[in-house]
């Protein structure tokens, strides 16, 4: 259950209260995070509140952590280029500065499960659908024979996919069921609209947007998990279908 979230001015009030003592205790460390401090001070996530509230049930045990603080903490994690949640959770636990900049009380910071629960709430896809996709067996990954040289790009797995999507969009087909729509809406309302209001995007109707892709690291094994019985029969190299814990990673 979630009744309400802390608004941005209340978060700024929290920082005003906490930062002076932190500046006395760890002045140099705090100074080293000045760009992150500016970021969280300016990043007003109030537009995300009405978007996140419906993702929590109206009854039951109250949520321990404010989702806006979790979101801000993830922005901070990305800004500091921390590659994974487990590492970030450990850093928050031991670092007062990072906890406070996220909006948490020091020594009362979220665990790994809390962040993953937040991800599930933000990813608008049916849980059974995800589970079934994970259970589905797929052929083993064929590794390329030649190692890639540094700077060399991966060959496109789905050539022409962008063209096909543009065609569909021009035909008026909406992409309204995409699971990432809530995250995109939060970004649009909190960052893009704010940038327009500040005049950083002078003519939003003539805006051109370019996209690019980049490989992301995933925790799951690219080789998949064997579910066949070949190994028991002495065959270690087989090409039976396998299970992949992160089917979205390819
Ligand atoms: Zn096999």
């Amino acid at each position: 259950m979630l009744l309400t979230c802390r608004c941005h001015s209340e978060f700024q009030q929290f920082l005003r209260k906490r930062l002076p003592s932190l500046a006395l205790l760890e002045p140099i460390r705090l100074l080293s995070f000045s760009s992150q401090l500016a970021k969280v001070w300016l990043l007003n996530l109030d537009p995300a509140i009405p978007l996140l509230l419906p993702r929590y049930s109206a009854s039951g045990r109250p949520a321990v952590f404010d989702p806006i603080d979790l979101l801000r903490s993830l922005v901070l994690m990305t800004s500091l280029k921390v590659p994974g949640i487990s590492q970030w959770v450990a850093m928050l636990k031991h670092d007062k500065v990072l906890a406070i900049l996220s909006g948490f009380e020091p020594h009362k910071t979220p665990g790994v499960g809390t962040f993953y629960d937040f991800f599930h709430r933000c990813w608008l896809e049916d849980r059974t659908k995800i589970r079934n996709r994970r259970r589905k067996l797929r052929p083993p990954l064929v590794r390329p024979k030649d190692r890639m040289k540094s700077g060399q790009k991966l060959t496109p797995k789905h050539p022409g996919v962008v063209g096909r999507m543009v065609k569909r969009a021009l035909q008026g087909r909406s992409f309204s069921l995409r699971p990432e729509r809530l995250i995109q809406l939060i970004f649009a309302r909190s960052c893009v609209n704010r940038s327009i209001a500040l005049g950083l995007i002078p003519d939003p109707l003539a805006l051109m947007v370019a996209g690019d892709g980049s490989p992301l690291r995933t925790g799951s094994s690219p080789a998949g998990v064997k579910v066949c019985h070949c190994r028991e029969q002495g065959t270690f190299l087989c090409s039976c279908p396998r299970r992949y814990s992160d089917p979205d990673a390819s």
Side-chain angles (χ1 to χ4, degrees), residues 133-184:
R133 207 143 39 90
R134 265 189 202 153
R135 280 188 190 150
K136 200 179 155 190
L137 300 180
R138 288 153 208 275
L141 185 88
V142 182
R143 286 182 187 278
K145 274 182 195 147
D146 302 318
R147 274 189 150 238
M148 283 185 31
K149 292 186 191 93
S150 90
Q152 196 186 343
K153 290 212 164 197
L154 287 168
T155 47
K157 284 228 164 96
H158 308 284
V161 67
V162 177
R164 287 197 294 277
M165 283 170 77
V166 169
K167 205 173 151 193
R168 266 186 246 170
L170 290 176
Q171 283 167 351
R173 219 186 111 173
S174 83
F175 297 89
S176 59
L177 286 177
R178 60 197 195 286
E180 67 275 23
R181 62 193 185 274
L182 177 63
I183 305 166
Q184 290 172 340

Side-chain angles (χ1 to χ4, degrees), residues 2-11 44-56 66-69 71-72 182 185-186 189-190:
L2 185 70
L3 293 172
T4 186
C5 300
R6 180 168 58 180
C7 70
H8 192 60
S9 58
E10 285 169 325
F11 166 68
N44 185 340
L45 293 170
D46 286 353
I49 299 175
L51 300 172
L52 284 170
L53 278 176
R55 301 300 301 153
Y56 288 78
D66 188 325
I68 296 296
D69 293 339
L71 181 60
R72 186 185 304 107
L182 177 63
L185 202 58
I186 290 174
R189 296 294 164 268
S190 307

